Amino acid sequence: MRLKQVAVQSKSLQTCPSKIAGLYAAMEWGLRNITFLGPYSFCGTKDNVNLTFHCNMQEYDEDFNVYIPEFTEKYIMLIIPNKEGDNSVLLTKDDCADVMGSKVSLKWISNKLKRKWEMKVSRTSTT
C-alpha cells in the first residue's frame, strides 16, 4: 500500500478538502473531468458515469466514533487524520442514510467501506 502525503496550507485544508480528495481520485482511481463543486464536494466521470463526492475530515473521539455529516452526493470520502494506517475511506450515501448527522464506530465504518487508503496530511506554514 502506498502512502500519499499532501502538504497544504492550514487555511486551505480547513476550507477546501475537495481539492486534495479530487486530485487523489483523478490520479489513483482514474476519474476524469474533475469539477470542484465547492469546498466540500467534487464530481468526476469514470466509464462515462458521473460520480459525485462529499469530502470531510473528522477525527475519531475517545470512544473511537466518527461523526458522519449530512450530504447529498453519491459518495463520501472521509479522512480520519488521527487514525494510524488506512485513515481514509469511501462510503456510499445509501450506506450512510440512516446515520447522517450522528456518530458511528470505526467498526461500523469498516463494515461499510468501499475503499480505504492512507493519506498523510501535513500542514505547511502560511508565512
Side-chain angles (χ1 to χ4, degrees):
M1 173 103 14
R2 289 175 280 169
L3 173 67
K4 306 298 173 211
Q5 183 166 356
V6 181
V8 295
Q9 289 184 338
S10 181
K11 184 177 179 185
S12 297
L13 177 62
Q14 293 172 9
T15 58
C16 297
S18 64
K19 289 181 181 179
I20 58 172
L23 294 174
Y24 172 81
M27 290 186 301
E28 291 296 317
W29 302 342
L31 260 60
R32 300 289 176 244
N33 304 318
I34 301 293
T35 303
F36 298 102
L37 305 173
Y40 299 101
S41 62
F42 71 94
C43 68
T45 57
K46 177 87 177 186
D47 300 325
N48 293 321
V49 176
N50 191 39
L51 304 170
T52 57
F53 299 85
H54 182 82
C55 307
N56 196 277
M57 187 175 293
Q58 294 285 330
E59 291 190 351
Y60 65 77
D61 64 17
E62 64 278 353
D63 297 320
F64 299 99
N65 294 322
V66 177
Y67 178 76
I68 302 292
E70 300 277 341
F71 65 97
T72 58
E73 294 80 5
K74 183 174 178 87
Y75 297 99
I76 183 170
M77 293 177 77
L78 185 62
I79 302 165
I80 309 166
N82 64 334
K83 182 183 178 303
E84 298 266 334
D86 290 337
N87 64 346
S88 302
V89 296
L90 183 69
L91 304 166
T92 66
K93 178 182 171 187
D94 291 341
D95 284 341
C96 295
D98 294 340
V99 297
M100 283 187 200
S102 63
K103 289 185 175 185
V104 298
S105 68
L106 292 179
K107 182 173 173 62
W108 182 93
I109 289 173
S110 71
N111 289 328
K112 303 289 184 179
L113 64 86
K114 303 305 178 218
R115 287 183 184 240
K116 65 179 180 173
W117 65 98
E118 183 172 3
M119 182 178 290
K120 182 176 180 182
V121 179
S122 59
R123 298 177 191 271
T124 59
S125 173
T126 59
T127 58

